[in-house]
PDB file of all heavy atoms in Angstrom:
ATOM      1  N   GLY K   1     -11.159  45.549 207.570  1.00  0.00           N
ATOM      2  CA  GLY K   1     -11.306  45.266 208.985  1.00  0.00           C
ATOM      3  C   GLY K   1     -11.415  43.790 209.307  1.00  0.00           C
ATOM      4  O   GLY K   1     -11.769  43.425 210.436  1.00  0.00           O
ATOM      5  N   TRP K   2     -11.113  42.905 208.338  1.00  0.00           N
ATOM      6  CA  TRP K   2     -11.162  41.469 208.588  1.00  0.00           C
ATOM      7  C   TRP K   2     -10.016  41.072 209.500  1.00  0.00           C
ATOM      8  O   TRP K   2      -8.905  41.595 209.401  1.00  0.00           O
ATOM      9  CB  TRP K   2     -11.068  40.688 207.276  1.00  0.00           C
ATOM     10  CG  TRP K   2     -12.151  41.006 206.301  1.00  0.00           C
ATOM     11  CD1 TRP K   2     -13.404  41.487 206.575  1.00  0.00           C
ATOM     12  CD2 TRP K   2     -12.081  40.871 204.868  1.00  0.00           C
ATOM     13  NE1 TRP K   2     -14.119  41.656 205.422  1.00  0.00           N
ATOM     14  CE2 TRP K   2     -13.339  41.295 204.348  1.00  0.00           C
ATOM     15  CE3 TRP K   2     -11.109  40.447 203.983  1.00  0.00           C
ATOM     16  CZ2 TRP K   2     -13.625  41.296 202.994  1.00  0.00           C
ATOM     17  CZ3 TRP K   2     -11.381  40.444 202.631  1.00  0.00           C
ATOM     18  CH2 TRP K   2     -12.634  40.859 202.140  1.00  0.00           C
ATOM     19  N   SER K   3     -10.254  40.127 210.390  1.00  0.00           N
ATOM     20  CA  SER K   3      -9.192  39.656 211.275  1.00  0.00           C
ATOM     21  C   SER K   3      -8.169  38.857 210.464  1.00  0.00           C
ATOM     22  O   SER K   3      -8.461  38.347 209.371  1.00  0.00           O
ATOM     23  CB  SER K   3      -9.769  38.772 212.377  1.00  0.00           C
ATOM     24  OG  SER K   3     -10.223  37.537 211.848  1.00  0.00           O
ATOM     25  N   ARG K   4      -6.978  38.756 211.022  1.00  0.00           N
ATOM     26  CA  ARG K   4      -5.938  37.967 210.353  1.00  0.00           C
ATOM     27  C   ARG K   4      -6.322  36.494 210.309  1.00  0.00           C
ATOM     28  O   ARG K   4      -5.927  35.768 209.396  1.00  0.00           O
ATOM     29  CB  ARG K   4      -4.608  38.166 211.059  1.00  0.00           C
ATOM     30  CG  ARG K   4      -4.025  39.564 210.864  1.00  0.00           C
ATOM     31  CD  ARG K   4      -2.738  39.752 211.668  1.00  0.00           C
ATOM     32  NE  ARG K   4      -2.136  41.051 211.392  1.00  0.00           N
ATOM     33  CZ  ARG K   4      -2.496  42.191 211.975  1.00  0.00           C
ATOM     34  NH1 ARG K   4      -3.477  42.180 212.877  1.00  0.00           N
ATOM     35  NH2 ARG K   4      -1.891  43.328 211.680  1.00  0.00           N
ATOM     36  N   GLY K   5      -7.090  36.040 211.310  1.00  0.00           N
ATOM     37  CA  GLY K   5      -7.574  34.661 211.266  1.00  0.00           C
ATOM     38  C   GLY K   5      -8.509  34.415 210.110  1.00  0.00           C
ATOM     39  O   GLY K   5      -8.451  33.378 209.446  1.00  0.00           O
ATOM     40  N   THR K   6      -9.395  35.401 209.803  1.00  0.00           N
ATOM     41  CA  THR K   6     -10.315  35.272 208.672  1.00  0.00           C
ATOM     42  C   THR K   6      -9.552  35.228 207.354  1.00  0.00           C
ATOM     43  O   THR K   6      -9.824  34.394 206.475  1.00  0.00           O
ATOM     44  CB  THR K   6     -11.312  36.445 208.661  1.00  0.00           C
ATOM     45  OG1 THR K   6     -12.094  36.412 209.852  1.00  0.00           O
ATOM     46  CG2 THR K   6     -12.231  36.367 207.448  1.00  0.00           C
ATOM     47  N   ILE K   7      -8.583  36.134 207.210  1.00  0.00           N
ATOM     48  CA  ILE K   7      -7.776  36.154 205.981  1.00  0.00           C
ATOM     49  C   ILE K   7      -6.954  34.873 205.878  1.00  0.00           C
ATOM     50  O   ILE K   7      -6.834  34.273 204.803  1.00  0.00           O
ATOM     51  CB  ILE K   7      -6.876  37.396 205.955  1.00  0.00           C
ATOM     52  CG1 ILE K   7      -7.736  38.663 206.023  1.00  0.00           C
ATOM     53  CG2 ILE K   7      -6.010  37.415 204.708  1.00  0.00           C
ATOM     54  CD1 ILE K   7      -6.956  39.924 206.290  1.00  0.00           C
ATOM     55  N   GLY K   8      -6.407  34.446 207.016  1.00  0.00           N
ATOM     56  CA  GLY K   8      -5.647  33.201 207.021  1.00  0.00           C
ATOM     57  C   GLY K   8      -6.502  32.000 206.660  1.00  0.00           C
ATOM     58  O   GLY K   8      -6.020  31.051 206.036  1.00  0.00           O
ATOM     59  N   ALA K   9      -7.795  32.047 207.014  1.00  0.00           N
ATOM     60  CA  ALA K   9      -8.692  30.949 206.655  1.00  0.00           C
ATOM     61  C   ALA K   9      -8.860  30.851 205.145  1.00  0.00           C
ATOM     62  O   ALA K   9      -8.889  29.750 204.572  1.00  0.00           O
ATOM     63  CB  ALA K   9     -10.046  31.140 207.327  1.00  0.00           C
ATOM     64  N   ALA K  10      -8.975  32.002 204.465  1.00  0.00           N
ATOM     65  CA  ALA K  10      -9.083  31.993 203.008  1.00  0.00           C
ATOM     66  C   ALA K  10      -7.811  31.437 202.380  1.00  0.00           C
ATOM     67  O   ALA K  10      -7.855  30.653 201.419  1.00  0.00           O
ATOM     68  CB  ALA K  10      -9.364  33.405 202.494  1.00  0.00           C
ATOM     69  N   VAL K  11      -6.660  31.843 202.918  1.00  0.00           N
ATOM     70  CA  VAL K  11      -5.392  31.313 202.417  1.00  0.00           C
ATOM     71  C   VAL K  11      -5.314  29.809 202.669  1.00  0.00           C
ATOM     72  O   VAL K  11      -4.820  29.042 201.826  1.00  0.00           O
ATOM     73  CB  VAL K  11      -4.204  32.045 203.081  1.00  0.00           C
ATOM     74  CG1 VAL K  11      -2.880  31.430 202.625  1.00  0.00           C
ATOM     75  CG2 VAL K  11      -4.229  33.526 202.733  1.00  0.00           C
ATOM     76  N   SER K  12      -5.835  29.364 203.826  1.00  0.00           N
ATOM     77  CA  SER K  12      -5.781  27.935 204.138  1.00  0.00           C
ATOM     78  C   SER K  12      -6.661  27.123 203.184  1.00  0.00           C
ATOM     79  O   SER K  12      -6.299  26.005 202.798  1.00  0.00           O
ATOM     80  CB  SER K  12      -6.207  27.693 205.594  1.00  0.00           C
ATOM     81  OG  SER K  12      -7.591  27.905 205.767  1.00  0.00           O
ATOM     82  N   VAL K  13      -7.820  27.667 202.787  1.00  0.00           N
ATOM     83  CA  VAL K  13      -8.659  26.990 201.787  1.00  0.00           C
ATOM     84  C   VAL K  13      -7.894  26.857 200.472  1.00  0.00           C
ATOM     85  O   VAL K  13      -7.901  25.793 199.825  1.00  0.00           O
ATOM     86  CB  VAL K  13      -9.980  27.760 201.578  1.00  0.00           C
ATOM     87  CG1 VAL K  13     -10.755  27.194 200.386  1.00  0.00           C
ATOM     88  CG2 VAL K  13     -10.837  27.692 202.830  1.00  0.00           C
ATOM     89  N   ASN K  14      -7.227  27.931 200.079  1.00  0.00           N
ATOM     90  CA  ASN K  14      -6.415  27.915 198.868  1.00  0.00           C
ATOM     91  C   ASN K  14      -5.348  26.831 198.938  1.00  0.00           C
ATOM     92  O   ASN K  14      -5.182  26.025 198.007  1.00  0.00           O
ATOM     93  CB  ASN K  14      -5.778  29.299 198.674  1.00  0.00           C
ATOM     94  CG  ASN K  14      -4.807  29.369 197.510  1.00  0.00           C
ATOM     95  OD1 ASN K  14      -3.734  28.793 197.575  1.00  0.00           O
ATOM     96  ND2 ASN K  14      -5.184  30.095 196.480  1.00  0.00           N
ATOM     97  N   LEU K  15      -4.617  26.794 200.051  1.00  0.00           N
ATOM     98  CA  LEU K  15      -3.526  25.830 200.198  1.00  0.00           C
ATOM     99  C   LEU K  15      -4.048  24.402 200.254  1.00  0.00           C
ATOM    100  O   LEU K  15      -3.444  23.491 199.672  1.00  0.00           O
ATOM    101  CB  LEU K  15      -2.725  26.156 201.462  1.00  0.00           C
ATOM    102  CG  LEU K  15      -1.929  27.469 201.432  1.00  0.00           C
ATOM    103  CD1 LEU K  15      -1.329  27.759 202.805  1.00  0.00           C
ATOM    104  CD2 LEU K  15      -0.835  27.423 200.375  1.00  0.00           C
ATOM    105  N   ALA K  16      -5.179  24.191 200.941  1.00  0.00           N
ATOM    106  CA  ALA K  16      -5.732  22.842 201.027  1.00  0.00           C
ATOM    107  C   ALA K  16      -6.191  22.342 199.658  1.00  0.00           C
ATOM    108  O   ALA K  16      -5.900  21.204 199.267  1.00  0.00           O
ATOM    109  CB  ALA K  16      -6.889  22.816 202.024  1.00  0.00           C
ATOM    110  N   LEU K  17      -6.898  23.192 198.908  1.00  0.00           N
ATOM    111  CA  LEU K  17      -7.351  22.790 197.578  1.00  0.00           C
ATOM    112  C   LEU K  17      -6.175  22.603 196.623  1.00  0.00           C
ATOM    113  O   LEU K  17      -6.223  21.757 195.723  1.00  0.00           O
ATOM    114  CB  LEU K  17      -8.323  23.828 197.014  1.00  0.00           C
ATOM    115  CG  LEU K  17      -9.721  23.812 197.641  1.00  0.00           C
ATOM    116  CD1 LEU K  17     -10.568  24.948 197.088  1.00  0.00           C
ATOM    117  CD2 LEU K  17     -10.405  22.481 197.400  1.00  0.00           C
ATOM    118  N   TYR K  18      -5.133  23.404 196.811  1.00  0.00           N
ATOM    119  CA  TYR K  18      -3.911  23.240 196.009  1.00  0.00           C
ATOM    120  C   TYR K  18      -3.414  21.799 196.102  1.00  0.00           C
ATOM    121  O   TYR K  18      -2.988  21.204 195.104  1.00  0.00           O
ATOM    122  CB  TYR K  18      -2.855  24.215 196.519  1.00  0.00           C
ATOM    123  CG  TYR K  18      -1.498  24.115 195.857  1.00  0.00           C
ATOM    124  CD1 TYR K  18      -1.211  24.847 194.706  1.00  0.00           C
ATOM    125  CD2 TYR K  18      -0.498  23.320 196.387  1.00  0.00           C
ATOM    126  CE1 TYR K  18       0.033  24.769 194.108  1.00  0.00           C
ATOM    127  CE2 TYR K  18       0.755  23.234 195.802  1.00  0.00           C
ATOM    128  CZ  TYR K  18       1.009  23.962 194.661  1.00  0.00           C
ATOM    129  OH  TYR K  18       2.243  23.880 194.067  1.00  0.00           O
ATOM    130  N   GLY K  19      -3.479  21.239 197.312  1.00  0.00           N
ATOM    131  CA  GLY K  19      -3.023  19.868 197.483  1.00  0.00           C
ATOM    132  C   GLY K  19      -4.058  18.829 197.121  1.00  0.00           C
ATOM    133  O   GLY K  19      -3.751  17.841 196.455  1.00  0.00           O
ATOM    134  N   LEU K  20      -5.315  19.040 197.524  1.00  0.00           N
ATOM    135  CA  LEU K  20      -6.345  18.025 197.310  1.00  0.00           C
ATOM    136  C   LEU K  20      -6.710  17.867 195.842  1.00  0.00           C
ATOM    137  O   LEU K  20      -7.196  16.815 195.419  1.00  0.00           O
ATOM    138  CB  LEU K  20      -7.586  18.381 198.126  1.00  0.00           C
ATOM    139  CG  LEU K  20      -7.409  18.311 199.650  1.00  0.00           C
ATOM    140  CD1 LEU K  20      -8.634  18.866 200.360  1.00  0.00           C
ATOM    141  CD2 LEU K  20      -7.133  16.876 200.094  1.00  0.00           C
ATOM    142  N   THR K  21      -6.493  18.920 195.048  1.00  0.00           N
ATOM    143  CA  THR K  21      -6.792  18.830 193.615  1.00  0.00           C
ATOM    144  C   THR K  21      -5.713  18.069 192.858  1.00  0.00           C
ATOM    145  O   THR K  21      -5.979  17.473 191.801  1.00  0.00           O
ATOM    146  CB  THR K  21      -6.925  20.249 193.022  1.00  0.00           C
ATOM    147  OG1 THR K  21      -7.904  20.967 193.763  1.00  0.00           O
ATOM    148  CG2 THR K  21      -7.333  20.217 191.561  1.00  0.00           C
ATOM    149  N   ALA K  22      -4.487  18.065 193.389  1.00  0.00           N
ATOM    150  CA  ALA K  22      -3.338  17.536 192.649  1.00  0.00           C
ATOM    151  C   ALA K  22      -3.512  16.092 192.172  1.00  0.00           C
ATOM    152  O   ALA K  22      -3.243  15.799 190.999  1.00  0.00           O
ATOM    153  CB  ALA K  22      -2.071  17.685 193.494  1.00  0.00           C
ATOM    154  N   PRO K  23      -3.919  15.147 193.031  1.00  0.00           N
ATOM    155  CA  PRO K  23      -4.027  13.766 192.516  1.00  0.00           C
ATOM    156  C   PRO K  23      -5.080  13.607 191.435  1.00  0.00           C
ATOM    157  O   PRO K  23      -4.899  12.828 190.493  1.00  0.00           O
ATOM    158  CB  PRO K  23      -4.388  12.959 193.780  1.00  0.00           C
ATOM    159  CG  PRO K  23      -4.944  13.953 194.744  1.00  0.00           C
ATOM    160  CD  PRO K  23      -4.215  15.229 194.461  1.00  0.00           C
ATOM    161  N   PHE K  24      -6.186  14.352 191.529  1.00  0.00           N
ATOM    162  CA  PHE K  24      -7.203  14.292 190.484  1.00  0.00           C
ATOM    163  C   PHE K  24      -6.689  14.925 189.189  1.00  0.00           C
ATOM    164  O   PHE K  24      -6.999  14.465 188.092  1.00  0.00           O
ATOM    165  CB  PHE K  24      -8.486  14.974 190.954  1.00  0.00           C
ATOM    166  CG  PHE K  24      -9.130  14.301 192.126  1.00  0.00           C
ATOM    167  CD1 PHE K  24      -8.908  14.761 193.414  1.00  0.00           C
ATOM    168  CD2 PHE K  24      -9.924  13.180 191.952  1.00  0.00           C
ATOM    169  CE1 PHE K  24      -9.493  14.140 194.500  1.00  0.00           C
ATOM    170  CE2 PHE K  24     -10.515  12.546 193.035  1.00  0.00           C
ATOM    171  CZ  PHE K  24     -10.293  13.024 194.314  1.00  0.00           C
ATOM    172  N   ALA K  25      -5.886  16.002 189.338  1.00  0.00           N
ATOM    173  CA  ALA K  25      -5.303  16.631 188.150  1.00  0.00           C
ATOM    174  C   ALA K  25      -4.346  15.682 187.452  1.00  0.00           C
ATOM    175  O   ALA K  25      -4.308  15.614 186.209  1.00  0.00           O
ATOM    176  CB  ALA K  25      -4.584  17.924 188.546  1.00  0.00           C
ATOM    177  N   ALA K  26      -3.554  14.927 188.236  1.00  0.00           N
ATOM    178  CA  ALA K  26      -2.645  13.953 187.627  1.00  0.00           C
ATOM    179  C   ALA K  26      -3.427  12.901 186.849  1.00  0.00           C
ATOM    180  O   ALA K  26      -3.031  12.499 185.747  1.00  0.00           O
ATOM    181  CB  ALA K  26      -1.788  13.301 188.716  1.00  0.00           C
ATOM    182  N   ALA K  27      -4.565  12.447 187.415  1.00  0.00           N
ATOM    183  CA  ALA K  27      -5.398  11.482 186.696  1.00  0.00           C
ATOM    184  C   ALA K  27      -6.046  12.113 185.466  1.00  0.00           C
ATOM    185  O   ALA K  27      -6.175  11.477 184.412  1.00  0.00           O
ATOM    186  CB  ALA K  27      -6.470  10.920 187.638  1.00  0.00           C
ATOM    187  N   LEU K  28      -6.463  13.387 185.571  1.00  0.00           N
ATOM    188  CA  LEU K  28      -7.031  14.081 184.415  1.00  0.00           C
ATOM    189  C   LEU K  28      -6.011  14.227 183.295  1.00  0.00           C
ATOM    190  O   LEU K  28      -6.357  14.186 182.108  1.00  0.00           O
ATOM    191  CB  LEU K  28      -7.552  15.454 184.839  1.00  0.00           C
ATOM    192  CG  LEU K  28      -8.874  15.465 185.613  1.00  0.00           C
ATOM    193  CD1 LEU K  28      -9.159  16.869 186.136  1.00  0.00           C
ATOM    194  CD2 LEU K  28     -10.028  14.983 184.742  1.00  0.00           C
ATOM    195  N   MET K  29      -4.738  14.408 183.658  1.00  0.00           N
ATOM    196  CA  MET K  29      -3.694  14.497 182.628  1.00  0.00           C
ATOM    197  C   MET K  29      -3.555  13.181 181.880  1.00  0.00           C
ATOM    198  O   MET K  29      -3.254  13.166 180.680  1.00  0.00           O
ATOM    199  CB  MET K  29      -2.365  14.893 183.269  1.00  0.00           C
ATOM    200  CG  MET K  29      -2.322  16.335 183.744  1.00  0.00           C
ATOM    201  SD  MET K  29      -0.771  16.752 184.572  1.00  0.00           S
ATOM    202  CE  MET K  29      -1.187  18.382 185.229  1.00  0.00           C
ATOM    203  N   ASP K  30      -3.770  12.062 182.584  1.00  0.00           N
ATOM    204  CA  ASP K  30      -3.759  10.765 181.911  1.00  0.00           C
ATOM    205  C   ASP K  30      -4.964  10.600 180.991  1.00  0.00           C
ATOM    206  O   ASP K  30      -4.898   9.875 179.996  1.00  0.00           O
ATOM    207  CB  ASP K  30      -3.750   9.633 182.943  1.00  0.00           C
ATOM    208  CG  ASP K  30      -2.422   9.504 183.664  1.00  0.00           C
ATOM    209  OD1 ASP K  30      -1.416  10.003 183.137  1.00  0.00           O
ATOM    210  OD2 ASP K  30      -2.398   8.913 184.760  1.00  0.00           O
ATOM    211  N   ARG K  31      -6.070  11.278 181.316  1.00  0.00           N
ATOM    212  CA  ARG K  31      -7.297  11.142 180.525  1.00  0.00           C
ATOM    213  C   ARG K  31      -7.345  12.125 179.351  1.00  0.00           C
ATOM    214  O   ARG K  31      -7.646  11.744 178.220  1.00  0.00           O
ATOM    215  CB  ARG K  31      -8.516  11.358 181.450  1.00  0.00           C
ATOM    216  CG  ARG K  31      -9.856  11.360 180.710  1.00  0.00           C
ATOM    217  CD  ARG K  31     -10.159  10.012 180.110  1.00  0.00           C
ATOM    218  NE  ARG K  31     -11.449   9.989 179.442  1.00  0.00           N
ATOM    219  CZ  ARG K  31     -11.642  10.344 178.173  1.00  0.00           C
ATOM    220  NH1 ARG K  31     -10.611  10.747 177.436  1.00  0.00           N
ATOM    221  NH2 ARG K  31     -12.852  10.279 177.637  1.00  0.00           N
ATOM    222  N   PHE K  32      -7.048  13.397 179.616  1.00  0.00           N
ATOM    223  CA  PHE K  32      -7.224  14.438 178.601  1.00  0.00           C
ATOM    224  C   PHE K  32      -5.910  15.031 178.085  1.00  0.00           C
ATOM    225  O   PHE K  32      -5.934  15.802 177.122  1.00  0.00           O
ATOM    226  CB  PHE K  32      -8.087  15.573 179.165  1.00  0.00           C
ATOM    227  CG  PHE K  32      -9.473  15.150 179.544  1.00  0.00           C
ATOM    228  CD1 PHE K  32      -9.833  14.987 180.864  1.00  0.00           C
ATOM    229  CD2 PHE K  32     -10.428  14.883 178.572  1.00  0.00           C
ATOM    230  CE1 PHE K  32     -11.112  14.596 181.222  1.00  0.00           C
ATOM    231  CE2 PHE K  32     -11.702  14.481 178.912  1.00  0.00           C
ATOM    232  CZ  PHE K  32     -12.044  14.338 180.241  1.00  0.00           C
ATOM    233  N   GLY K  33      -4.803  14.713 178.705  1.00  0.00           N
ATOM    234  CA  GLY K  33      -3.520  15.248 178.269  1.00  0.00           C
ATOM    235  C   GLY K  33      -3.060  16.415 179.134  1.00  0.00           C
ATOM    236  O   GLY K  33      -3.865  17.132 179.734  1.00  0.00           O
ATOM    237  N   ILE K  34      -1.760  16.594 179.184  1.00  0.00           N
ATOM    238  CA  ILE K  34      -1.161  17.628 180.024  1.00  0.00           C
ATOM    239  C   ILE K  34      -1.558  19.014 179.544  1.00  0.00           C
ATOM    240  O   ILE K  34      -1.925  19.889 180.335  1.00  0.00           O
ATOM    241  CB  ILE K  34       0.378  17.482 180.031  1.00  0.00           C
ATOM    242  CG1 ILE K  34       0.787  16.137 180.616  1.00  0.00           C
ATOM    243  CG2 ILE K  34       1.017  18.620 180.815  1.00  0.00           C
ATOM    244  CD1 ILE K  34       2.270  15.860 180.513  1.00  0.00           C
ATOM    245  N   ARG K  35      -1.496  19.237 178.230  1.00  0.00           N
ATOM    246  CA  ARG K  35      -1.747  20.590 177.690  1.00  0.00           C
ATOM    247  C   ARG K  35      -3.112  21.115 178.085  1.00  0.00           C
ATOM    248  O   ARG K  35      -3.246  22.256 178.551  1.00  0.00           O
ATOM    249  CB  ARG K  35      -1.650  20.570 176.159  1.00  0.00           C
ATOM    250  CG  ARG K  35      -0.259  20.702 175.621  1.00  0.00           C
ATOM    251  CD  ARG K  35      -0.281  21.079 174.162  1.00  0.00           C
ATOM    252  NE  ARG K  35      -1.181  20.228 173.369  1.00  0.00           N
ATOM    253  CZ  ARG K  35      -1.463  20.460 172.091  1.00  0.00           C
ATOM    254  NH1 ARG K  35      -0.965  21.511 171.490  1.00  0.00           N
ATOM    255  NH2 ARG K  35      -2.251  19.650 171.424  1.00  0.00           N
ATOM    256  N   ARG K  36      -4.149  20.324 177.885  1.00  0.00           N
ATOM    257  CA  ARG K  36      -5.510  20.802 178.140  1.00  0.00           C
ATOM    258  C   ARG K  36      -5.727  21.105 179.623  1.00  0.00           C
ATOM    259  O   ARG K  36      -6.325  22.132 179.976  1.00  0.00           O
ATOM    260  CB  ARG K  36      -6.518  19.758 177.674  1.00  0.00           C
ATOM    261  CG  ARG K  36      -6.536  19.555 176.165  1.00  0.00           C
ATOM    262  CD  ARG K  36      -7.507  18.460 175.773  1.00  0.00           C
ATOM    263  NE  ARG K  36      -7.530  18.240 174.332  1.00  0.00           N
ATOM    264  CZ  ARG K  36      -8.235  17.294 173.732  1.00  0.00           C
ATOM    265  NH1 ARG K  36      -8.981  16.473 174.466  1.00  0.00           N
ATOM    266  NH2 ARG K  36      -8.200  17.157 172.425  1.00  0.00           N
ATOM    267  N   VAL K  37      -5.244  20.229 180.488  1.00  0.00           N
ATOM    268  CA  VAL K  37      -5.457  20.423 181.918  1.00  0.00           C
ATOM    269  C   VAL K  37      -4.726  21.657 182.421  1.00  0.00           C
ATOM    270  O   VAL K  37      -5.288  22.483 183.156  1.00  0.00           O
ATOM    271  CB  VAL K  37      -5.007  19.164 182.699  1.00  0.00           C
ATOM    272  CG1 VAL K  37      -5.073  19.408 184.208  1.00  0.00           C
ATOM    273  CG2 VAL K  37      -5.879  17.967 182.326  1.00  0.00           C
ATOM    274  N   VAL K  38      -3.473  21.823 182.014  1.00  0.00           N
ATOM    275  CA  VAL K  38      -2.676  22.959 182.508  1.00  0.00           C
ATOM    276  C   VAL K  38      -3.217  24.278 181.957  1.00  0.00           C
ATOM    277  O   VAL K  38      -3.297  25.280 182.683  1.00  0.00           O
ATOM    278  CB  VAL K  38      -1.193  22.763 182.157  1.00  0.00           C
ATOM    279  CG1 VAL K  38      -0.379  24.002 182.521  1.00  0.00           C
ATOM    280  CG2 VAL K  38      -0.635  21.543 182.884  1.00  0.00           C
ATOM    281  N   ALA K  39      -3.586  24.314 180.678  1.00  0.00           N
ATOM    282  CA  ALA K  39      -4.131  25.551 180.113  1.00  0.00           C
ATOM    283  C   ALA K  39      -5.428  25.950 180.816  1.00  0.00           C
ATOM    284  O   ALA K  39      -5.639  27.133 181.142  1.00  0.00           O
ATOM    285  CB  ALA K  39      -4.374  25.377 178.610  1.00  0.00           C
ATOM    286  N   ALA K  40      -6.306  24.989 181.066  1.00  0.00           N
ATOM    287  CA  ALA K  40      -7.551  25.296 181.782  1.00  0.00           C
ATOM    288  C   ALA K  40      -7.265  25.783 183.196  1.00  0.00           C
ATOM    289  O   ALA K  40      -7.928  26.714 183.693  1.00  0.00           O
ATOM    290  CB  ALA K  40      -8.443  24.051 181.822  1.00  0.00           C
ATOM    291  N   ALA K  41      -6.274  25.188 183.855  1.00  0.00           N
ATOM    292  CA  ALA K  41      -5.931  25.599 185.224  1.00  0.00           C
ATOM    293  C   ALA K  41      -5.452  27.046 185.267  1.00  0.00           C
ATOM    294  O   ALA K  41      -5.825  27.813 186.169  1.00  0.00           O
ATOM    295  CB  ALA K  41      -4.857  24.668 185.786  1.00  0.00           C
ATOM    296  N   LEU K  42      -4.639  27.435 184.302  1.00  0.00           N
ATOM    297  CA  LEU K  42      -4.140  28.818 184.263  1.00  0.00           C
ATOM    298  C   LEU K  42      -5.278  29.814 184.062  1.00  0.00           C
ATOM    299  O   LEU K  42      -5.283  30.905 184.653  1.00  0.00           O
ATOM    300  CB  LEU K  42      -3.098  28.957 183.149  1.00  0.00           C
ATOM    301  CG  LEU K  42      -1.744  28.287 183.431  1.00  0.00           C
ATOM    302  CD1 LEU K  42      -0.933  28.205 182.141  1.00  0.00           C
ATOM    303  CD2 LEU K  42      -0.972  29.049 184.496  1.00  0.00           C
ATOM    304  N   ILE K  43      -6.247  29.456 183.242  1.00  0.00           N
ATOM    305  CA  ILE K  43      -7.395  30.344 183.017  1.00  0.00           C
ATOM    306  C   ILE K  43      -8.220  30.489 184.296  1.00  0.00           C
ATOM    307  O   ILE K  43      -8.676  31.589 184.637  1.00  0.00           O
ATOM    308  CB  ILE K  43      -8.251  29.813 181.851  1.00  0.00           C
ATOM    309  CG1 ILE K  43      -7.463  29.909 180.537  1.00  0.00           C
ATOM    310  CG2 ILE K  43      -9.561  30.585 181.744  1.00  0.00           C
ATOM    311  CD1 ILE K  43      -8.135  29.224 179.358  1.00  0.00           C
ATOM    312  N   VAL K  44      -8.411  29.398 185.033  1.00  0.00           N
ATOM    313  CA  VAL K  44      -9.155  29.455 186.297  1.00  0.00           C
ATOM    314  C   VAL K  44      -8.409  30.330 187.314  1.00  0.00           C
ATOM    315  O   VAL K  44      -9.023  31.122 188.047  1.00  0.00           O
ATOM    316  CB  VAL K  44      -9.379  28.036 186.853  1.00  0.00           C
ATOM    317  CG1 VAL K  44      -9.951  28.091 188.267  1.00  0.00           C
ATOM    318  CG2 VAL K  44     -10.315  27.260 185.940  1.00  0.00           C
ATOM    319  N   ILE K  45      -7.092  30.210 187.364  1.00  0.00           N
ATOM    320  CA  ILE K  45      -6.288  31.057 188.261  1.00  0.00           C
ATOM    321  C   ILE K  45      -6.482  32.527 187.916  1.00  0.00           C
ATOM    322  O   ILE K  45      -6.684  33.377 188.802  1.00  0.00           O
ATOM    323  CB  ILE K  45      -4.800  30.678 188.165  1.00  0.00           C
ATOM    324  CG1 ILE K  45      -4.556  29.309 188.794  1.00  0.00           C
ATOM    325  CG2 ILE K  45      -3.923  31.736 188.858  1.00  0.00           C
ATOM    326  CD1 ILE K  45      -3.188  28.734 188.490  1.00  0.00           C
ATOM    327  N   ALA K  46      -6.398  32.852 186.631  1.00  0.00           N
ATOM    328  CA  ALA K  46      -6.557  34.249 186.207  1.00  0.00           C
ATOM    329  C   ALA K  46      -7.946  34.765 186.565  1.00  0.00           C
ATOM    330  O   ALA K  46      -8.097  35.916 187.017  1.00  0.00           O
ATOM    331  CB  ALA K  46      -6.316  34.356 184.701  1.00  0.00           C
ATOM    332  N   LEU K  47      -8.970  33.940 186.390  1.00  0.00           N
ATOM    333  CA  LEU K  47     -10.329  34.349 186.719  1.00  0.00           C
ATOM    334  C   LEU K  47     -10.474  34.626 188.214  1.00  0.00           C
ATOM    335  O   LEU K  47     -11.015  35.666 188.627  1.00  0.00           O
ATOM    336  CB  LEU K  47     -11.310  33.249 186.287  1.00  0.00           C
ATOM    337  CG  LEU K  47     -12.796  33.516 186.553  1.00  0.00           C
ATOM    338  CD1 LEU K  47     -13.280  34.707 185.740  1.00  0.00           C
ATOM    339  CD2 LEU K  47     -13.618  32.266 186.236  1.00  0.00           C
ATOM    340  N   GLY K  48      -9.982  33.708 189.041  1.00  0.00           N
ATOM    341  CA  GLY K  48     -10.115  33.883 190.478  1.00  0.00           C
ATOM    342  C   GLY K  48      -9.361  35.093 190.991  1.00  0.00           C
ATOM    343  O   GLY K  48      -9.876  35.868 191.818  1.00  0.00           O
TER     344      GLY K  48
END
């Protein structure tokens, strides 16, 4: 029974974080390497 605006708000949080995390992820890849960052990201996606 959630409104479409409420569901859209959750999607908007997802989309906003998708973008706001990107520059920090690029810097993390310079610090820890591409493999470690991407593998951890996939695990977080699966958990969520």
